Amino acid sequence: MKIVKSKRVAPPHPEVSELISKLYNTPADDLAPFIGGITEWKWPRSDLGNWIKVLNKFDTILQDIIRDYDVDKLQVNPFTPQTKATVLEILRFKRMLLENSTGRKLYASYDRLNSLLFTSDLDVLIADLKVILRPSQQYSAQPPAAQTTNISSARLISLAQSWAPLRDHGIELHDFLDAKKQGSVELDLSGESGDVQFQFYRKSAEKVQEQSGPAESPTSTQQTSIPAVPSSSQPSQSAAAPSTGPKPSSGMTVVHIPGVATSDRDAMTILAEAVEKYDVPDEEKFELLCRIRITKALKSGNEVDREKLAAARLLAIAIYAHTHGETQASNSLFLYDPELVTHIADLIHPDRDIPVSVQIASLIALDAIGRYRVKISEVLTAVNAGVSHGILFSLLRKTVAQLQEEGSPSTSELAESLLTLIMLLTASPGGGGMIVGAGLIPLIIQILDNKLPSRLSVISKTTVLLDNALYGYGNAFQLFCNNSGVDTLVGRIEHEIDLDIADFSPPEGGVHSQAAYGGLTHSRSSVLKHLLRSMQ
């Protein structure tokens, strides 16, 4: 479904208009390197209505890729490097655009995002979930959110389910992902632990189609711009041969796939063989794929896939929590994993060497679950919100120290996710007083004093948190003053003004080319705006 213009919108900033024109006129094959050069959003906010033609172009490209690779049914052939780069950059830009635009409810291309959940590529899956997350957060607490976003609830539940093999062996996910315990926590995959057992009920009205050979390869219908993928990536004729004997037309069907964990075949090939052998209906394929992926990730040496699958699970939990009510979440998530909140909190413990991507996804999931009124107290308890040496504040102190160093963008992303969670907890009844009393204000002051250009987005979010704390709790302002907070805030404003005058002033006697809009970059103006607002 393409986006349709529904209202008149104000003309965008000239620089935004120039970017829109460049994106629209850039050929599809050149989009990946062009968008790849946009590492952060540097432009003022604009209405999403100004981006309709660009978004529709992206939708057309994604739809062609989904069709050519048969993603909706079964993607046996992996994306070519160029196609994968194009998909990833389009999804990344969509996420940035949704985070920095107004009128976001205009966005309606959820059919493409829902289709990409069934991709064979885990990088594309995670990028897709991150795009879905942004509108899900916007629609949070609105009853029809699941219908508005039109994302399959069944697929989200399949991604969010706990890893059964670990649960059956009494192994926690945080131990399995902890780099400090690599090699000490392993499973014996020689027996049934390496198999996949799956059951589904075949409806009597379903027509079972007998296939005489392997399915047609998606490459046979690809456009000339997508190179053909070698046939070795397709399931072989003998491996995908249907089972002998009659196939049931209705009733319970048991799928047993032995040796999945130790198999050298990729997950989609194993799935294709199982679909052919057991006539698995379309609505059951995705859950079976998730189980195959999890089982394959258990094998030693698949740590990268473990990290990606864990991040995908946590993002799916967050999206589901934002788009579904408490009753639905209780019946679908918490009923089967009553200690889910505690298990997620264990993944952000600073004493464990958990991948940063998993920690970020864990914070996002906790933020989503905490929006349920019945779960906010459980989140506060799980992260030890009122204890200065608990999980929350230990991670915050560690993150504040890392922000002082020029590092990867993931450090800023981790800090922003952590601050978002803290803002939610401080707004909860009883939670704010606990967090302020445990030592939040001195850490906020340290962040405000960070003058690295790469941390500007963190400063903006920190200033919002500071305002909430100062105006919400009587003891916060006294703590702020006692820790030289006023001097730090005034000094930071002085630093920003001096720097902006030195770097962005027009030539002497001249007029700035963007005088009508202001000459500051978006990040600099945003920080200054939030800092000055704190002085009101």
Side-chain angles (χ1 to χ4, degrees):
M1 177 169 63
K2 285 194 173 184
I3 299 173
V4 180
K5 196 169 186 176
S6 59
K7 64 176 182 179
R8 295 180 62 87
V9 296
H13 188 283
E15 293 181 359
V16 174
S17 181
E18 181 182 0
L19 177 62
I20 291 173
S21 178
K22 287 182 178 179
L23 284 168
Y24 184 72
N25 294 317
T26 300
D29 292 342
D30 298 331
L31 269 178
F34 180 79
I35 300 177
I38 304 174
T39 56
E40 61 177 342
W41 193 263
K42 303 176 182 178
W43 303 272
R45 283 178 176 267
S46 59
D47 194 286
L48 197 63
N50 295 311
W51 293 85
I52 288 178
K53 63 180 184 180
V54 174
L55 291 173
N56 285 338
K57 175 182 178 178
F58 289 167
D59 285 347
T60 301
I61 295 173
L62 292 179
Q63 187 59 43
D64 290 343
I65 293 173
I66 290 169
R67 183 195 64 240
D68 293 340
Y69 285 88
D70 211 10
V71 175
D72 271 325
K73 294 183 179 179
L74 190 64
Q75 183 189 352
V76 178
N77 294 321
F79 294 125
T80 62
Q82 179 181 352
T83 302
K84 178 178 177 178
T86 301
V87 174
L88 288 176
E89 292 301 335
I90 287 177
L91 292 175
R92 188 177 66 85
F93 187 83
K94 277 192 172 188
R95 180 191 177 195
M96 284 197 299
L97 184 60
L98 289 173
E99 291 175 344
N100 295 278
S101 298
T102 58
R104 292 184 291 264
K105 289 187 177 180
L106 182 65
Y107 186 79
S109 303
Y110 298 106
D111 52 345
R112 274 78 166 174
L113 301 180
N114 190 61
S115 296
L116 286 174
L117 290 177
F118 201 13
T119 179
S120 63
D121 194 289
L122 292 179
D123 293 322
V124 173
L125 172 62
I126 293 175
D128 188 45
L129 288 169
K130 288 181 178 180
V131 177
I132 299 172
L133 176 66
R134 186 60 191 88
S136 299
Q137 292 170 329
Q138 180 182 1
Y139 286 109
S140 185
Q142 299 182 20
Q147 290 73 28
T148 303
T149 57
N150 199 28
I151 300 298
S152 171
S153 298
R155 290 188 174 183
L156 292 176
I157 288 297
S158 297
L159 287 169
Q161 65 186 350
S162 61
W163 294 9
L166 297 184
R167 183 182 64 243
D168 295 342
H169 287 79
I171 299 176
E172 298 295 343
L173 182 59
H174 61 80
D175 289 329
F176 206 56
L177 295 173
D178 192 347
K180 296 179 180 178
K181 297 184 178 180
Q182 292 294 340
S184 61
V185 181
E186 296 294 341
L187 295 175
D188 181 10
L189 304 175
S190 58
E192 294 183 357
S193 299
D195 300 347
V196 169
Q197 295 280 356
F198 179 68
Q199 297 179 348
F200 66 91
Y201 187 84
R202 195 187 305 277
K203 300 177 182 179
S204 58
E206 182 182 324
K207 294 182 179 180
V208 181
Q209 297 180 352
E210 296 290 337
Q211 298 182 6
S212 57
E216 181 182 356
S217 168
T219 55
S220 62
T221 58
Q222 288 177 358
Q223 297 176 348
T224 55
S225 61
I226 303 178
V229 181
S231 59
S232 60
S233 63
Q234 305 175 13
S236 63
Q237 173 80 19
S238 59
S243 60
T244 59
K247 297 176 183 178
S249 59
S250 64
M252 182 64 68
T253 301
V254 178
V255 177
H256 176 242
I257 310 176
V260 171
T262 57
S263 175
D264 293 331
R265 298 167 297 170
D266 62 86
M268 298 305 287
T269 301
I270 296 174
L271 175 63
E273 295 174 1
V275 168
E276 184 74 23
K277 182 177 180 180
Y278 294 98
D279 273 339
V280 179
D282 290 342
E283 61 269 21
E284 304 292 345
K285 291 178 183 177
F286 189 78
E287 183 174 355
L288 180 55
L289 171 62
C290 291
R291 298 197 182 189
I292 293 173
R293 280 173 167 166
I294 291 171
T295 304
K296 284 190 66 65
L298 300 177
K299 184 180 178 182
S300 178
N302 290 341
E303 289 78 13
V304 175
D305 285 349
R306 291 180 195 173
E307 175 185 341
K308 294 176 182 178
L309 287 171
R313 180 198 174 201
L314 294 162
L315 291 172
I317 291 173
I319 294 169
Y320 191 90
H322 280 300
T323 56
H324 294 76
E326 292 181 9
T327 302
Q328 292 173 294
S330 296
N331 295 332
S332 302
L333 292 177
F334 304 113
L335 179 64
Y336 303 100
D337 192 354
E339 298 182 357
L340 178 62
V341 175
T342 303
H343 293 159
I344 296 176
D346 288 335
L347 292 170
I348 63 172
H349 200 294
D351 291 341
R352 298 189 175 98
D353 191 4
I354 303 294
V356 175
S357 62
V358 177
Q359 292 188 51
I360 294 171
S362 300
L363 292 167
I364 293 172
L366 289 173
D367 173 69
I369 294 173
R371 298 179 189 275
Y372 292 141
R373 287 179 297 175
V374 297
K375 289 294 180 181
I376 184 63
S377 59
E378 190 174 342
V379 174
L380 286 166
T381 302
V383 299
N384 314 124
V387 183
S388 62
H389 57 274
I391 294 177
L392 183 67
F393 276 95
S394 296
L395 178 61
L396 181 57
R397 281 191 292 270
K398 180 180 178 181
T399 304
V400 170
Q402 292 175 340
L403 287 173
Q404 303 295 331
E405 307 170 359
E406 282 285 6
S408 65
S410 59
T411 304
S412 295
E413 188 177 357
L414 176 65
E416 291 183 47
S417 301
L418 180 56
L419 292 171
T420 300
L421 175 61
I422 294 175
M423 279 193 281
L424 172 70
L425 299 180
T426 54
S428 64
M434 295 167 50
I435 294 175
V436 170
L440 174 65
I441 301 302
L443 293 172
I444 286 181
I445 295 172
Q446 290 184 44
I447 299 176
L448 288 178
D449 201 32
N450 189 322
K451 298 181 176 62
L452 293 177
S454 58
R455 309 306 185 196
L456 291 176
S457 60
V458 179
I459 302 300
S460 296
K461 190 171 288 290
T462 302
T463 310
V464 176
L465 175 59
L466 176 63
D467 288 346
N468 295 344
L470 293 182
Y471 289 102
Y473 304 95
N475 62 331
F477 184 72
Q478 188 62 47
L479 290 169
F480 184 69
C481 295
N482 293 343
N483 288 274
S484 303
V486 176
D487 294 337
T488 302
L489 181 60
V490 172
R492 183 58 195 256
I493 294 175
E494 182 182 7
H495 168 79
E496 289 296 325
I497 293 176
D498 290 343
L499 186 146
D500 293 341
I501 292 175
D503 292 352
F504 301 101
S505 293
E508 185 176 353
V511 179
H512 202 286
S513 59
Q514 301 294 347
Y517 299 91
L520 296 181
T521 62
H522 172 63
S523 56
R524 286 290 177 189
S525 62
S526 178
V527 168
L528 189 57
K529 177 184 69 175
H530 285 102
L531 289 171
L532 292 174
R533 184 179 295 169
S534 298
M535 301 295 291
Q536 295 179 353

